[in-house]
Amino acid sequence: MQVLEGAAARAALTRSFDEIPVPDAVLARIEATFGEALSPEQVVERILADVRARGDDALRDWTEKLDGTRPEVLAVSGAEIAAAQVDEELHAAIRLAVARVRAFYEQQPAHGFLNHTPEGALGQLVRPLSRVGVYVPGGLAPLISTLIHTAVPAQVAGVQDIVVTTPPARDGTVHPAILVAARELGITQIYRAGGAQAIAALAYGTASIAAVDKIAGPGNLFVVIAKRLVYGQTGIESLPGPTETLVVADDSADPRHVAADLLAQAEHNGAEPVLVSTSRALLVAVQAELSGQLEALPEPNRSWARDSVLSRMKVVLAADLNEALALANLYAPEHLCLLTRDPWSLLGQVTRAGGVFLGEYSMEALGDYVAGPSHVMPTGGTARFMSPVNVRDFQNIISVVGLNASAVQHIGPAGAVLARAEGLEAHARAIESRL
Amino acid sequence: MQVLEGAAARAALTRSFDEIPVPDAVLARIEATFGEALSPEQVVERILADVRARGDDALRDWTEKLDGTRPEVLAVSGAEIAAAQVDEELHAAIRLAVARVRAFYEQQPAHGFLNHTPEGALGQLVRPLSRVGVYVPGGLAPLISTLIHTAVPAQVAGVQDIVVTTPPARDGTVHPAILVAARELGITQIYRAGGAQAIAALAYGTASIAAVDKIAGPGNLFVVIAKRLVYGQTGIESLPGPTETLVVADDSADPRHVAADLLAQAEHNGAEPVLVSTSRALLVAVQAELSGQLEALPEPNRSWARDSVLSRMKVVLAADLNEALALANLYAPEHLCLLTRDPWSLLGQVTRAGGVFLGEYSMEALGDYVAGPSHVMPTGGTARFMSPVNVRDFQNIISVVGLNASAVQHIGPAGAVLARAEGLEAHARAIESRL
């Protein structure tokens, strides 16, 4: 375990969104699939253009090519949704997660204002978006929680028309747990489509899937690139990609918990956990814990976690908690876990993170499911300027100007002066026509 | 004047952001500048890559090539800012605009929350971004108001570090009115750079200009493309491009005001004003007014306005105000002007617009300067999912999870069930290690 300090730590935690390396395995898969060495951007551009041109047929073709199943019927039927079942324990957990996330977002202030004065009224309307697409990634297991953590803030925002896309399994089905969660959410529009092809369908529309106003939800490299490329044509909430966690721990932290939290990150294939500690003794103890807990994990999680820990984990020794927090802000992690003696005293220093998890009972794994805030948070350093999925992502502000003659008498002449200074004579005259 | 109705009107007001046509004059200028027929995207990609690679030198080269002046010193000095002067009438108008916009945004709710329960605390921190770039377009006159209408919401949000870029005049100076406005705002970082090269500098940083966390402000086609391409590397607030206005007028509207408001839109070179009316008589009266008011405009505004009116203005006859509002929502205009008998009764039907201007004394031209709300509003149909520049654009939400042992006892088991359903064993164990 290489321990970084000072300038080396700062360099290791400085990152550029555009320079996130593409894993060799991804490039190899592209070459195997396309018969030539394309960049991920080129792949996505091809898929977007094809779905835009050919609609559902292209969507089926790409799903067959990339997901290994051809969804002749893209929409999941009401009967399929109604018939989906999971065991009662999981069903109850889904209900709890929906309730917790909903209760959290119902607290978010998201109202407009309208202020009347003798000169009229000025304000902001806050309106829900008309139609939103929720992207739920596939992978080896159903990401039930991602559906809940993306759709609920949209529902709280007041969006009436929510459509879900998620890659089908090889047998063409969508996992019953996803369908049960959709049923609990009252969502009826679910389509068998994943990857860039799903983003294309949501952005441009097809015969089966009407275009949406905004696409939300996390995804892999191809989904992130696709969202970036369709932005403008449609809205996107942010660019959440592979998950990431930075743990700040002092000498009071329990090495078992630190190791457990790092492994909960490391078990994501390709993850890059970061540990910043003020205690060299803790770093040593965590290393011993990591080895033991790693061995106890089942496959394939063990292999992925081991690879993350051995190949990509970053371990930093900070001079003090101030430096630790400065490094965390520099990295701008999706998840910032504060396993320190007095985590609340550090909160004011946190300027860049998707979420802050304070103390040993606020483990990030709990936040992924049932704590309340959405687990869809900014990654790749975008927490410098982006927020976790939240109610605002699904609402527009519309400015309201309702002034009267006395306002125009008061401020109109200054407006005309500014208009003429900008060379806009007809603007000045439009104002003066009311004076 | 061709009057559109029904399906033809709907077709004419349906638009796709990706399919906004590039004017021939722009393509001709690209070919003249680059010696080959490049798309605007290709031009912007070249400029971004060059500024990223060569920094200030590239910024100077592109400014020389595209703006006709070589800014050896990119930063405007404190002495230049201090020395700038405008006449007292304009200075007072600048002060009024700053005060009005500030007073408006100080009313915007933009706070977080933190809710303590027996199981701990959950909430959202709302933090200002660290460093923001404000892009102020150039053109034939100083866009004083754009600086004010973009920077003030950032200041109200609490952003400490605001940097302005604006293309220099051919003599290398920045217009004194811009500098006076910056002085009134307390902004000291101003750089002589415009176009895609300025966006590149703000996104990637150069020796002179440190990279920012977010870039805000409107621009021409190249600026919009550049913002779209750097998004992710840096934040952007939205994609505001050429300004646009849709006027809804019934038989109560004064044709003089309707014509004046349309001309205030039409005098922007290349503008595409839209008039939707329920009254054929009004349409006829407005046409007569347009001719007269057009002739009275000075050049070059008259030529531009005439070209906009004759070549691109869309005129729609709606069956009733419900259809008129539905067409407005379909178009999703930057500015929606309601010149009707009872405009407030229509406000609830407005779902997609940057700003709504109600009645004859709320002319959009006033909103451009001194009404209060920012004039930087979504264009190109992006009002379907974007908002005017506002305080939220300059703040991040950080989710806060601070639970205690009793919360983990209560919700931890459900979290572990969900984690295992998603195949994330180490997540489940991280939760259970605290049970």
Side-chain angles (χ1 to χ4, degrees):
Chain A
M1 186 167 68
Q2 193 201 348
V3 177
L4 303 165
E5 296 182 63
R10 283 195 297 281
L13 296 184
T14 300
R15 52 188 178 162
S16 173
F17 184 86
D18 279 345
E19 290 162 358
I20 295 172
V22 180
D24 289 341
V26 170
L27 296 174
R29 192 177 164 215
I30 289 175
E31 196 158 349
T33 306
F34 290 84
E36 54 183 315
L38 301 174
S39 71
E41 284 75 14
Q42 289 172 312
V43 167
V44 172
E45 281 169 3
R46 278 194 196 186
I47 295 171
L48 294 181
D50 192 32
V51 174
R52 191 171 198 173
R54 295 198 302 122
D56 285 341
D57 285 343
L59 203 48
R60 291 189 188 99
D61 288 349
W62 287 107
T63 305
E64 184 168 15
K65 194 176 182 87
L66 301 174
D67 293 328
T69 181
R70 186 174 182 84
E72 293 302 340
V73 180
L74 288 158
V76 178
S77 72
E80 286 174 89
I81 298 172
Q85 292 206 322
V86 294
D87 68 61
E88 192 41 52
E89 190 180 37
L90 179 55
H91 202 139
I94 288 170
R95 284 201 190 98
L96 179 71
V98 171
R100 297 276 306 187
V101 177
R102 185 162 288 150
F104 181 81
Y105 283 101
E106 283 173 349
Q107 297 173 75
Q108 184 179 355
H111 49 283
F113 66 91
L114 188 62
N115 188 21
H116 285 266
T117 72
E119 295 191 346
L122 294 169
Q124 290 179 340
L125 295 183
V126 172
R127 304 287 311 236
L129 303 190
S130 299
R131 180 168 160 85
V132 163
V134 169
Y135 184 79
V136 178
L140 297 174
L143 293 185
I144 316 160
S145 58
T146 299
L147 170 56
I148 297 168
H149 286 234
T150 312
V152 169
Q155 292 185 319
V156 172
V159 178
Q160 294 297 314
D161 197 5
I162 296 177
V163 49
V164 172
T165 69
T166 192
R170 293 218 163 228
D171 66 358
T173 62
V174 171
H175 195 283
I178 293 283
L179 300 182
V180 168
R183 209 167 64 215
E184 288 294 330
L185 294 165
I187 289 173
T188 57
Q189 302 175 71
I190 307 171
Y191 294 93
R192 297 174 233 271
Q197 58 272 24
I199 302 300
L202 293 169
Y204 304 121
T206 70
S208 293
I209 307 178
V212 302
D213 294 320
K214 197 165 197 170
I215 304 168
N220 64 16
L221 177 66
F222 298 93
V223 169
V224 171
I225 291 171
K227 285 175 74 181
R228 212 175 170 187
L229 291 177
V230 301
Y231 174 57
Q233 176 68 22
T234 185
I236 64 173
E237 98 291 17
S238 62
L239 294 166
T243 183
E244 56 192 37
T245 290
L246 185 149
V247 177
V248 170
D250 65 12
D251 60 356
S252 76
D254 183 331
R256 289 172 303 171
H257 295 157
V258 176
D261 291 352
L262 289 169
L263 286 179
Q265 174 61 21
E267 71 174 327
H268 292 286
N269 192 1
E272 184 188 282
V274 184
L275 172 59
V276 178
S277 181
T278 51
S279 161
R280 193 179 288 274
L282 182 93
L283 292 180
V284 172
V286 167
Q287 186 161 25
E289 272 294 329
L290 277 172
S291 303
Q293 293 187 27
L294 251 176
E295 287 318 307
L297 275 178
E299 288 294 356
N301 309 56
R302 178 168 55 197
S303 292
W304 289 338
R306 184 190 286 120
D307 180 55
S308 297
V309 169
L310 296 182
S311 307
R312 285 177 303 275
M313 188 167 79
K314 293 182 169 141
V315 179
V316 171
L317 183 64
D320 54 30
L321 285 171
N322 287 333
E323 190 194 9
L325 269 288
L327 289 167
N329 287 328
L330 175 67
Y331 189 72
E334 182 188 21
H335 307 116
L336 172 59
C337 301
L338 300 178
L339 291 167
T340 61
R341 194 168 281 105
D342 186 6
W344 286 95
S345 71
L346 303 175
L347 187 56
Q349 286 174 258
V350 177
T351 57
R352 294 163 160 189
V356 190
F357 299 82
L358 299 106
E360 65 180 320
Y361 296 108
S362 299
M363 50 286 193
E364 189 274 315
L366 201 63
D368 281 343
Y369 297 106
V370 288
S374 175
H375 76 212
V376 182
M377 294 183 178
T379 63
T382 61
R384 287 187 292 120
F385 49 83
M386 284 173 176
S387 303
V389 164
N390 68 91
V391 173
R392 293 177 187 174
D393 288 323
F394 303 105
Q395 296 174 323
N396 270 351
I397 289 172
I398 300 176
S399 296
V400 177
V401 178
L403 298 175
N404 59 29
S406 110
V408 177
Q409 293 298 329
H410 170 207
I411 62 175
V417 166
L418 284 161
R420 291 206 168 90
E422 295 187 355
L424 296 172
E425 179 63 25
H427 282 61
R429 295 186 186 186
I431 295 172
E432 289 166 350
S433 76
R434 274 77 165 202
L435 280 173
Chain B
M1 185 166 70
Q2 193 201 347
V3 177
L4 303 165
E5 295 182 64
R10 282 195 299 280
L13 296 184
T14 300
R15 50 189 181 162
S16 172
F17 184 86
D18 279 345
E19 291 163 358
I20 296 172
V22 180
D24 289 342
V26 170
L27 296 174
R29 192 177 163 212
I30 288 175
E31 195 158 352
T33 307
F34 290 84
E36 52 182 315
L38 301 174
S39 71
E41 284 74 15
Q42 289 172 313
V43 167
V44 171
E45 281 168 2
R46 279 195 193 183
I47 295 172
L48 294 180
D50 192 33
V51 173
R52 191 169 198 174
R54 297 198 301 124
D56 285 340
D57 285 344
L59 203 48
R60 290 189 190 99
D61 288 350
W62 287 108
T63 305
E64 186 170 14
K65 195 178 181 83
L66 301 174
D67 293 326
T69 180
R70 187 174 182 84
E72 292 303 339
V73 180
L74 288 157
V76 177
S77 71
E80 284 174 88
I81 299 172
Q85 291 205 324
V86 292
D87 68 60
E88 191 43 49
E89 189 182 39
L90 179 56
H91 202 140
I94 289 170
R95 284 200 189 98
L96 178 71
V98 170
R100 296 278 304 190
V101 178
R102 183 162 287 148
F104 181 81
Y105 282 102
E106 282 173 348
Q107 298 173 75
Q108 184 180 355
H111 50 284
F113 67 91
L114 188 62
N115 187 21
H116 285 267
T117 71
E119 295 190 346
L122 294 169
Q124 291 179 340
L125 296 182
V126 172
R127 306 285 312 234
L129 302 189
S130 299
R131 180 168 161 84
V132 163
V134 169
Y135 184 79
V136 178
L140 296 174
L143 292 185
I144 316 160
S145 59
T146 299
L147 169 55
I148 296 168
H149 285 235
T150 312
V152 168
Q155 292 185 319
V156 172
V159 178
Q160 294 297 313
D161 197 4
I162 296 177
V163 50
V164 171
T165 69
T166 192
R170 292 217 162 228
D171 66 359
T173 62
V174 171
H175 195 283
I178 293 283
L179 300 181
V180 167
R183 207 165 67 214
E184 288 295 329
L185 294 165
I187 288 174
T188 57
Q189 303 175 72
I190 306 170
Y191 295 93
R192 296 174 234 269
Q197 58 272 23
I199 302 300
L202 292 169
Y204 304 121
T206 70
S208 293
I209 306 178
V212 302
D213 294 320
K214 197 165 199 171
I215 303 168
N220 64 16
L221 177 67
F222 298 93
V223 169
V224 171
I225 292 171
K227 285 176 75 180
R228 211 175 170 187
L229 291 175
V230 302
Y231 173 59
Q233 176 67 20
T234 185
I236 65 173
E237 98 291 16
S238 62
L239 294 167
T243 184
E244 56 193 36
T245 290
L246 186 151
V247 176
V248 170
D250 65 12
D251 61 354
S252 76
D254 184 331
R256 289 172 305 169
H257 295 157
V258 176
D261 290 354
L262 289 169
L263 287 179
Q265 174 62 21
E267 72 173 327
H268 292 285
N269 193 1
E272 184 188 281
V274 185
L275 170 60
V276 179
S277 180
T278 51
S279 161
R280 193 180 287 273
L282 182 92
L283 293 180
V284 172
V286 167
Q287 185 162 25
E289 272 295 329
L290 277 173
S291 303
Q293 292 187 27
L294 251 176
E295 287 318 306
L297 276 179
E299 288 294 352
N301 309 56
R302 179 170 52 197
S303 293
W304 289 338
R306 183 188 289 120
D307 181 54
S308 297
V309 169
L310 296 182
S311 306
R312 285 177 304 277
M313 187 166 80
K314 293 181 170 140
V315 178
V316 172
L317 182 65
D320 54 30
L321 285 172
N322 287 332
E323 191 195 8
L325 269 288
L327 288 168
N329 287 327
L330 174 68
Y331 190 73
E334 182 189 20
H335 308 115
L336 173 59
C337 301
L338 301 178
L339 291 168
T340 62
R341 193 167 281 106
D342 186 7
W344 286 94
S345 70
L346 303 175
L347 188 56
Q349 287 174 257
V350 177
T351 58
R352 295 162 158 188
V356 190
F357 300 82
L358 298 107
E360 65 180 323
Y361 296 109
S362 299
M363 50 286 194
E364 189 274 317
L366 201 63
D368 281 344
Y369 297 107
V370 287
S374 176
H375 76 213
V376 182
M377 294 183 175
T379 63
T382 60
R384 287 187 294 121
F385 49 83
M386 285 173 174
S387 302
V389 164
N390 68 91
V391 172
R392 294 176 185 173
D393 288 323
F394 303 104
Q395 295 174 323
N396 270 352
I397 288 171
I398 300 176
S399 296
V400 177
V401 178
L403 299 175
N404 59 29
S406 108
V408 177
Q409 293 298 329
H410 169 208
I411 63 174
V417 166
L418 285 161
R420 290 204 170 90
E422 295 187 356
L424 296 171
E425 179 63 26
H427 282 62
R429 293 186 186 188
I431 295 171
E432 289 166 351
S433 76
R434 274 75 166 206
L435 280 173

